[in-house]
Amino acid sequence: QERLQESGGGLVQAGGSLRLSCSASRTIVSDINSMGWYRQAPGKQRELVAIISGGGTRNYADSVKGRFTISKDHAKKVSLQMNNLKSEDTAIYYCHLRRNSGPEFWGQGTQVTVSS
């Protein structure tokens, strides 16, 4: 099993910035297929925000391109820098890890609230 440790999130005004981080502890580096972030707003389905593969390939939702940047702080920790935040970015953000061996894991979620 994996336990993803999330940090960051909070309340910010529109146009502001936040940084989320997520660390894995029980997955060996070679078994990491991807790590990243999804979000779920009230009344909406969970959606992809940004992911980064073990090889470093990044994918972003169209709605965050140019504003959010996902990076690897080290092999088992990723960060999401969120700039120019908008009210529609308000959601619970969940860290996600997928292993090459198959299992996937979710963090507990961290609230991001953007006030307009």
Side-chain angles (χ1 to χ4, degrees):
Q1 292 295 317
E2 174 61 80
R3 190 172 185 178
L4 299 174
Q5 184 67 45
E6 301 164 332
S7 62
L11 173 64
V12 66
Q13 289 187 332
S17 298
L18 285 173
R19 186 177 182 88
L20 307 180
S21 293
C22 175
S23 296
S25 60
R26 301 176 183 177
T27 302
I28 60 173
V29 173
S30 61
D31 200 20
I32 296 177
N33 178 275
S34 66
M35 290 184 70
W37 294 90
Y38 288 69
R39 67 187 180 188
Q40 188 166 17
K44 295 187 176 181
Q45 289 188 330
R46 193 172 296 189
E47 64 176 3
L48 170 73
V49 177
I51 57 171
I52 185 166
S53 72
T57 301
R58 296 167 173 82
N59 284 293
Y60 296 94
D62 287 343
S63 60
V64 307
K65 285 180 181 177
R67 300 188 297 122
F68 291 12
T69 302
I70 190 168
S71 60
K72 282 187 179 181
D73 296 339
H74 58 68
K76 295 201 290 185
K77 181 180 180 181
V78 296
S79 292
L80 183 69
Q81 179 66 39
M82 305 184 292
N83 297 327
N84 190 22
L85 282 159
K86 305 176 180 180
S87 57
E88 52 263 43
D89 295 317
T90 294
I92 299 174
Y93 284 67
Y94 296 92
C95 182
H96 178 263
L97 181 148
R98 184 181 302 278
R99 290 179 176 171
N100 288 319
S101 55
E104 60 178 339
F105 303 92
W106 294 92
Q108 291 187 324
T110 184
Q111 177 71 46
V112 171
T113 303
V114 184
S115 63
S116 56

